[in-house]
Each structure stands twice: as structure tokens, then as C-alpha cells.
Amino acid sequence: DYVRQQIRIAAAETGKPFGVNIMLMSPFADAVAQVVAEEKVAVVTTGAGNPAKYMPLWKDAGIQVIPVVASVAMAKLMTRVGATALIAEGGESGGHVGELTTMVLVPQVCDATDLPVIAAGGIADGRGVAAAFMLGACGVQLGTRFLSATECSIHPTYKEKLFKAGDLATTVTGKRLGHPVRSLRTPLMRRYTEAEYAQTSDEELEAMTTGALRKAVQEGDVQNGCFLAGQIAAMVKKEQPAAEIIREVMQGAEPILKGAAQWIK
């Protein structure tokens, strides 16, 4: 019901196409998949799982589906089941991560599919955008950089932790359960890491992080929150309007790409 409400609010605010992101590990994924089909949103992006079972539903509703892929095998599968484009996301990204880095994942995915490929993971400025294009991507997805956007409604403490982050500020936890996640180092993440390599049951590990993202996003709970962020966190130093971030990033990429074109010639 909440997702449906938010979709309708967005539709009332703009005549432009907009997308809904679905985290497939959510216990509500089936219900949300049905809601986006009923509301006929323009685009669905997916992460943390395989959306193949929802593809017929979404395609019948006229939805463009752009899944995140972390391997060549998943890229090929998504191509076969009718994805519109692919987001090749390297392990530098925040949230659920795969094994491959963006530098090696993007060109391999580009070689494995004829779909448009969007690069993600470790991209914060024009240099990252230019690198993604040189690897074969036709676009980029930035996540962590937009946590600093004025329009982003995360708790102020979340933004402050991001602005203070250093180059080694993130860590990956959850590998034992098969669902690795990159986030900022916090007391909770330290406790989880100790438990992950101790005699802690899988059920206890799951319970440790239940609701932890909400505690970070809504409450700014430094002790018990999970503050998702990619490795570029150290490159984000101030709050800016989203439009300003986009202009800054693309203006930074332009001279690099022009210079590369001259060098290639």
C-alpha cells in the first residue's frame, strides 16, 4: 500500500517517466511486483536477486525492466528473458554486492549482450563516467553520490557520516550467509563481523541486522544502524542539489572523453 501511494504521488508530480526500484530479497517483493504492474510504471529496476519470474507480468504491463547484474551469466539470462537494458554493478558499490569489480565486469557484460549496458559501482565524478564509457557502457548509475543530494531525505547523521568517510570507511559483511553487503564501518558492523566468524547461528546473524537500514535512514542510529555506502564515500564531501551533481559529473567527463577521442585518432 505504501509503494502504491508513493507511485501515485510521483505520477501526480510529473508527466515524465519514472522508475521503481525493487530489492528482490525483500519479503514484500511479490506484492510490490504486482503493484508496479497494476500502476503501469514506466521503468522497473531490480537488485539483490533474479527477477526472471516477474518478467512476463511486467512486460505485459508495458514496463521497461532494467535489472542489476553482477556476473556475465546473469547478464545473459536477463537478455534471454527480455530485459530492456542491464546495470553492470561492480563490488565497489554500496548495498548488496557481487565478486567482480566494475573495471572487469562492465567490458565482459558488454561483450556478452547486445542490450544497452549501464555501469555502476565506484563512480563518483567525471573521471568515473569517462572510464565507464571507455569500457563500453552507454550510461552510468550513481548511488552513493546522490546520498548527498539536497533532495535525499535520509537522516542528517547519515549524510554527516558520509562526509567524514575516508578511503577505507566501508566494509563488506554477510558473506557467510551468501548475501554480502557493503556499508560504512559502524559499531553494528563490527559486532556483526565478530559474530559472523564465531559460533553464531545463521538465525542470530539475520536478527542482528533486521531493521538496521531503517534505523540508519530514518533515525540516524549510529550504534545499531546499517549505513549503506560504496567505496566512493570518501569522494563525497558536501550536500548539493541533484541537478548540480549531475552537471558537475557530466562536465567533468566531457574534456576527458574529448581528449581520449583525440588520443585514439
Side-chain angles (χ1 to χ4, degrees):
D1 291 342
Y2 175 79
V3 174
R4 191 187 302 276
Q5 178 190 44
Q6 295 301 308
I7 290 170
R8 292 180 178 178
I9 290 172
E13 293 289 334
T14 180
K16 302 288 187 181
F18 62 88
V20 174
N21 176 259
I22 302 177
M23 200 277 281
L24 296 171
M25 285 182 61
S26 165
F28 305 106
D30 287 352
V32 174
Q34 185 64 43
V35 166
V36 296
E38 292 170 358
E39 297 295 324
K40 292 183 167 49
V41 299
V43 180
V44 165
T45 58
T46 66
N50 179 354
K53 70 176 184 177
Y54 305 120
M55 294 294 279
L57 172 69
W58 291 339
K59 300 303 285 185
D60 287 347
I63 296 173
Q64 307 294 317
V65 185
I66 308 178
V68 169
V69 299
S71 69
V72 170
M74 183 60 76
K76 290 180 177 179
L77 173 59
M78 292 298 98
T79 302
R80 290 197 302 272
V81 298
T84 303
L86 303 174
I87 301 168
E89 184 177 75
E92 302 96 322
S93 63
H96 291 274
V97 295
E99 291 290 334
L100 298 178
T101 64
T102 304
M103 181 67 77
V104 297
L105 177 66
V106 171
Q108 291 186 71
V109 170
C110 289
D111 289 345
T113 182
D114 56 0
L115 296 178
V117 175
I118 300 161
I123 303 172
D125 58 17
R127 294 170 294 181
V129 172
F133 288 163
M134 296 300 288
L135 292 173
C138 67
V140 295
Q141 173 179 283
L142 279 65
T144 301
R145 180 68 192 272
F146 282 104
L147 290 174
S148 69
T150 305
E151 297 87 344
C152 183
S153 59
I154 58 175
H155 196 279
T157 300
Y158 200 143
K159 291 188 180 184
E160 190 62 30
K161 284 189 67 64
L162 189 69
F163 300 150
K164 292 180 178 179
D167 59 335
L168 299 178
T170 69
T171 185
V172 176
T173 56
K175 286 189 175 183
R176 200 186 93 184
L177 296 180
H179 306 298
V181 172
R182 183 178 299 281
S183 63
L184 295 175
R185 298 179 188 272
T186 62
L188 172 63
M189 294 301 100
R190 285 192 286 272
R191 296 196 301 271
Y192 187 96
T193 299
E194 292 173 2
E196 192 169 17
Y197 294 98
Q199 300 299 314
T200 309
S201 69
D202 290 355
E203 292 74 14
E204 289 175 295
L205 283 176
E206 289 279 7
M208 285 183 69
T209 54
T210 298
L213 180 57
R214 176 187 55 78
K215 291 175 183 176
V217 172
Q218 295 183 358
E219 303 170 17
D221 186 341
V222 175
Q223 293 297 317
N224 303 297
C226 177
F227 295 78
L228 301 183
Q231 288 184 311
I232 63 97
M235 301 171 70
V236 183
K237 293 303 180 186
K238 62 181 179 179
E239 188 172 68
Q240 297 171 272
E244 186 177 303
I245 293 173
I246 294 169
R247 282 195 299 271
E248 185 179 288
V249 169
M250 297 312 295
Q251 287 171 0
E254 188 174 0
I256 300 172
L257 291 169
K258 285 183 177 179
Q262 292 297 319
W263 179 80
I264 291 171
K265 288 179 181 179

